[in-house]
Amino acid sequence: MSESGWGRGPIIDISSGKPVFRMPDLPRPPGGVVRVVVAGLALLLLLLTGYYQVEPDQVGVVQRLGAFVRTTEPGPHFKIPFGFETVTKVPVQRQLKTEFGFRTLRAGTRSEFAPDTPETVGEKVMLTGDLNVAVVEWIVQYRIKDPRQYLFHVRNPEGTFRHMSEAAMRQVVGDHSVDEVITIGRESMEQQAKVELQRLCDLYGIGIEIQQLKLQDVNPPDPVKPAFNEVNQAIQEKERAINDAWADYNKAVPRAKGEAEQAVRSAEGYALERVNNAEGDASRFEALYEEYRKAPAVTRKRIYLETLAQVLPKLQRKVVVDENARGVLPLLSLDKAAKEVKP
């Protein structure tokens, strides 16, 4: 091109020096459009580098040229663009979980676990207080309570937290025998390990709050597992036999006490009845004697008639006549004849 300018000047063949063709003149873009485009690009870059959104379960930690400046709550925010300020979002309201001695591939009704690796085997094989070996798997659930401490007080907080959790668990397991670790001491060990791990987190200022520490699976090593299973089965059978014996005891003893109490109360009632009857008979005899003293003939006759009134109904079919009577008329037994005729 021999001429300068927008869309001007022919194209010259260098070998012959003759023009080949001439480019058409193109219109110049107006200066206002260029300024609008530049301003739009600048505004877009400003928004892309200055706007950020914090989720409801997060806190934004703002750094200016690498130094901590402030924390921002959930919602839309702005920061100094072009990389002068950066934001790290920390999930402070979310419950986080860390697994030790195993790794879960897919959680569900039937969870899938990854095969053992040298890392997981090294985490779960521990020495107990009685110099035995136990295989301990556990999980820790926690949340980040101080995002500034979590990001700036400790280098690699996740790795440091794993080391602290393993140290706390090994200390607690080393203070217990293998029987306590595998059978009866699991609940107290969980509480002790949680307290020790929280103490370490506060000591190092890692900004983590321990919410739960749970022993997932505790077993003896595979070579001695059958022997331990037999011992545990024997202990369970012993406990079951003791519980059955106590159940029988709790049934038999109250029943025997109830029967004894019933016998005592029956005897006391019988004794009271005999005493009352005797006292009643004595009182009746004394009253009768007083009446007899007042009118002996009348009292004797009344006693005689009352006695006959009690005795005669018990004689059933008897006829009483005067011994001096003559020509007694026989009586027809209508009741007996009616019973014989009745079908």
Side-chain angles (χ1 to χ4, degrees):
M1 296 177 62
S2 61
E3 297 182 6
S4 61
W6 183 265
R8 295 180 180 179
I11 297 178
I12 306 300
D13 188 357
I14 299 177
S15 60
S16 61
K18 297 180 179 181
V20 179
F21 67 90
R22 183 181 182 84
M23 294 182 63
D25 293 336
L26 298 177
R28 286 177 177 272
V33 175
V34 175
R35 287 193 295 270
V36 170
V37 172
V38 172
L41 293 176
L43 180 60
L44 179 61
L45 184 60
L46 180 66
L47 291 175
L48 291 177
T49 59
Y51 173 82
Y52 65 96
Q53 175 79 25
V54 180
E55 300 299 328
D57 61 343
Q58 297 176 340
V59 166
V61 180
V62 182
Q63 298 171 253
R64 183 177 301 161
L65 298 177
F68 172 79
V69 178
R70 64 186 182 278
T71 59
T72 55
E73 298 298 324
H77 300 277
F78 288 93
K79 58 184 177 66
I80 300 177
F82 308 116
F84 286 96
E85 286 187 349
T86 59
V87 178
T88 303
K89 300 176 183 179
V90 182
V92 295
Q93 299 296 332
R94 189 183 309 165
Q95 187 181 68
L96 306 176
K97 182 180 74 171
T98 305
E99 300 172 340
F100 298 87
F102 68 100
R103 300 293 184 270
T104 302
L105 294 178
R106 185 178 62 85
T109 305
R110 293 185 178 181
S111 300
E112 295 182 3
F113 301 98
D116 287 339
T117 62
E119 180 183 3
T120 58
V121 173
E123 290 176 349
K124 65 184 178 181
V125 177
M126 299 184 181
L127 190 66
T128 61
D130 53 358
L131 302 182
N132 285 299
V133 177
V135 178
V136 182
E137 299 176 356
W138 74 100
I139 61 174
V140 178
Q141 294 179 347
Y142 64 96
R143 75 174 187 89
I144 301 172
K145 66 177 181 179
D146 192 329
R148 182 177 182 181
Q149 290 184 352
Y150 183 79
L151 292 178
F152 304 113
H153 280 202
V154 177
R155 181 185 300 173
N156 187 14
E158 294 182 358
T160 304
F161 179 71
R162 293 191 66 88
H163 292 319
M164 289 192 300
S165 178
E166 187 174 348
M169 182 57 68
R170 289 187 182 277
Q171 176 181 341
V172 172
V173 171
D175 292 337
H176 293 77
S177 66
V178 66
D179 292 334
E180 294 174 331
V181 173
I182 295 176
T183 56
I184 60 176
R186 297 184 57 170
E187 184 175 354
S188 63
M189 288 174 53
E190 292 174 351
Q191 185 62 29
Q192 293 176 18
K194 177 183 176 182
V195 172
E196 177 63 19
L197 181 56
Q198 185 64 64
R199 186 187 71 81
L200 292 176
C201 291
D202 297 339
L203 177 64
Y204 284 91
I206 198 172
I208 288 179
E209 178 185 1
I210 309 301
Q211 294 185 326
Q212 187 177 12
L213 189 148
K214 186 70 175 177
L215 289 174
Q216 190 74 2
D217 198 7
V218 182
N219 291 308
D222 291 337
V224 297
K225 186 177 293 185
F228 271 91
N229 292 337
E230 292 179 0
V231 172
N232 292 334
Q233 185 177 0
I235 293 176
Q236 293 175 2
E237 291 178 356
K238 173 186 174 182
E239 294 294 333
R240 184 169 59 251
I242 292 175
N243 294 333
D244 293 341
W246 276 110
D248 294 339
Y249 172 84
N250 293 331
K251 289 180 181 178
V253 171
R255 183 171 61 249
K257 290 183 179 179
E259 292 176 353
E261 188 70 18
Q262 182 181 4
V264 171
R265 293 290 179 261
S266 298
E268 291 177 351
Y270 179 74
L272 184 60
E273 180 184 5
R274 296 290 293 178
V275 170
N276 292 336
N277 290 337
E279 290 179 353
D281 293 341
S283 299
R284 186 171 62 254
F285 180 80
E286 291 177 356
L288 183 62
Y289 177 71
E290 291 296 329
E291 295 297 328
Y292 180 78
R293 288 176 55 190
K294 295 177 182 178
V298 174
T299 304
R300 277 200 305 270
K301 188 173 183 179
R302 182 171 60 82
I303 293 174
Y304 175 73
L305 295 177
E306 290 177 353
T307 303
L308 288 180
Q310 295 177 358
V311 172
L312 289 179
K314 300 179 180 179
L315 298 177
Q316 297 180 356
R317 303 185 62 81
K318 301 294 182 181
V319 178
V320 180
V321 297
D322 189 0
E323 59 181 3
N324 297 323
R326 296 290 185 272
V328 178
L329 180 64
L331 300 176
L332 178 61
S333 179
L334 298 178
D335 294 339
K336 184 176 180 180
K339 291 181 180 179
E340 292 177 353
V341 173
K342 185 176 181 181

